[in-house]
Amino acid sequence: MKSNFFITFEGGEGAGKSTQAKLLSAFLEKEGYPCVLTREPGGSSGAEEIRNLVVKGDVAKWDAMTEALLMFAARRDHLVKTVWPALKEGKTVICDRFADSTMAYQGFGYADNGLGQATVERLYQIVVGDFKPDLTIILDMPVEAGVARALQRDANVNRYEKMGLDFHRNLRKAFLEIEKKEPGRCVVVNADRTIEEISADIISVVQSRLLKA
Ligand code: TMP
């Protein structure tokens, strides 16, 4: 029985990814799947250092390419130090954000200045190769509500939460496009509901797509 799944959570700000990642990890552990819960950017000590560079400071601190390179540097360290070793040990890895966030934020969030799909895909191929998540849950909700929730929650508002609503609308569109392109890997879940309703949907997707597959 396969036990080493790589599951990623994606979506805009304030969609509840961290909460849902924790709930899924608890469910899988109870079912006998040892899990590693991690996040990007971050999840290894080097990648956490890079995280500080990108989430703090002025909105205009980095251009999209510099930022994407930092994200991919953090990703590489996280994969090498945390994700791949855990999968090799037979653990399931649940990751709060992964490369679809680079596609959405650095690829399309900045609209005219974004890198676009082909460039982000090239960087992915160089840094990550053919490795991909087994399943990606995209938490979708109206932009205004998500951003308001994120601003309310965070004492230290991060760089991305300070970006305008147009930026966040581009993100939402980009995540929905990603699901259309890769429906075999991605599932969009309506995140504008109670925590329990969202979690029940996610668990049923994981059961049908991974555990009973
Ligand atoms: P978090 O808010 O989910 O903790 O993530 C930190 C921020 O990093 C979030 O606002 C989105 C951003 N981000 C990118 O811009 N590109 C990426 O590739 C990743 C993983 C995150």
Side-chain angles (χ1 to χ4, degrees):
M1 186 184 80
K2 182 175 156 79
S3 62
N4 56 346
F5 301 106
F6 182 44
I7 303 171
T8 59
F9 278 83
E10 298 282 5
E13 307 295 330
K17 292 180 305 306
S18 316
T19 304
Q20 293 301 332
K22 271 188 216 137
L23 290 171
L24 178 61
S25 173
F27 166 79
L28 285 172
E29 289 271 355
K30 223 172 58 203
E31 294 290 303
Y33 295 84
C35 290
V36 171
L37 191 55
T38 185
R39 68 170 181 182
E40 287 207 353
S44 63
S45 64
E48 289 290 335
E49 286 185 41
I50 298 173
R51 179 186 176 92
N52 276 328
L53 297 176
V54 289
V55 301
K56 292 183 184 158
D58 289 348
V59 165
K61 186 174 175 187
W62 309 108
D63 79 330
M65 177 56 98
T66 315
E67 205 167 81
L69 292 171
L70 288 167
M71 294 295 177
F72 272 111
R75 180 158 304 130
R76 177 78 198 175
D77 192 63
H78 180 223
L79 286 169
V80 169
K81 305 268 174 57
T82 305
V83 177
W84 288 336
L87 292 172
K88 216 169 160 194
E89 286 171 20
K91 292 179 180 150
T92 280
V93 177
I94 300 174
C95 192
D96 183 348
R97 293 196 185 280
F98 190 61
D100 296 315
S101 281
T102 318
M103 184 63 84
Y105 281 73
Q106 286 70 47
F108 291 100
Y110 295 110
D112 293 348
N113 303 318
L115 300 179
Q117 187 183 340
T119 301
V120 178
E121 281 176 356
R122 272 164 73 197
L123 291 172
Y124 187 101
Q125 192 56 42
I126 293 165
V127 175
V128 185
D130 293 333
F131 175 75
K132 270 186 180 183
D134 295 295
L135 175 67
T136 296
I137 309 280
I138 297 172
L139 294 182
D140 179 62
M141 70 183 294
V143 166
E144 288 80 358
V147 172
R149 204 200 270 180
L151 292 175
Q152 210 173 22
R153 171 195 64 194
D154 284 352
N156 298 313
V157 172
N158 81 28
R159 275 183 59 236
Y160 300 94
E161 289 160 357
K162 288 187 240 165
M163 291 180 189
L165 278 182
D166 281 348
F167 177 85
H168 294 282
R169 287 193 188 104
N170 292 338
L171 296 182
R172 186 180 191 197
K173 244 194 287 173
F175 281 122
L176 295 176
E177 284 294 315
I178 289 169
E179 190 272 341
K180 280 206 194 96
K181 275 187 207 117
E182 286 187 78
R185 172 174 69 85
C186 304
V187 178
V188 172
V189 171
N190 173 8
D192 198 12
R193 296 178 295 162
T194 67
I195 289 174
E196 294 74 21
E197 285 169 329
I198 301 164
S199 176
D201 264 13
I202 292 169
I203 287 170
S204 103
V205 166
V206 168
Q207 282 175 321
S208 63
R209 292 216 179 189
L210 300 179
L211 309 189
K212 293 179 190 155

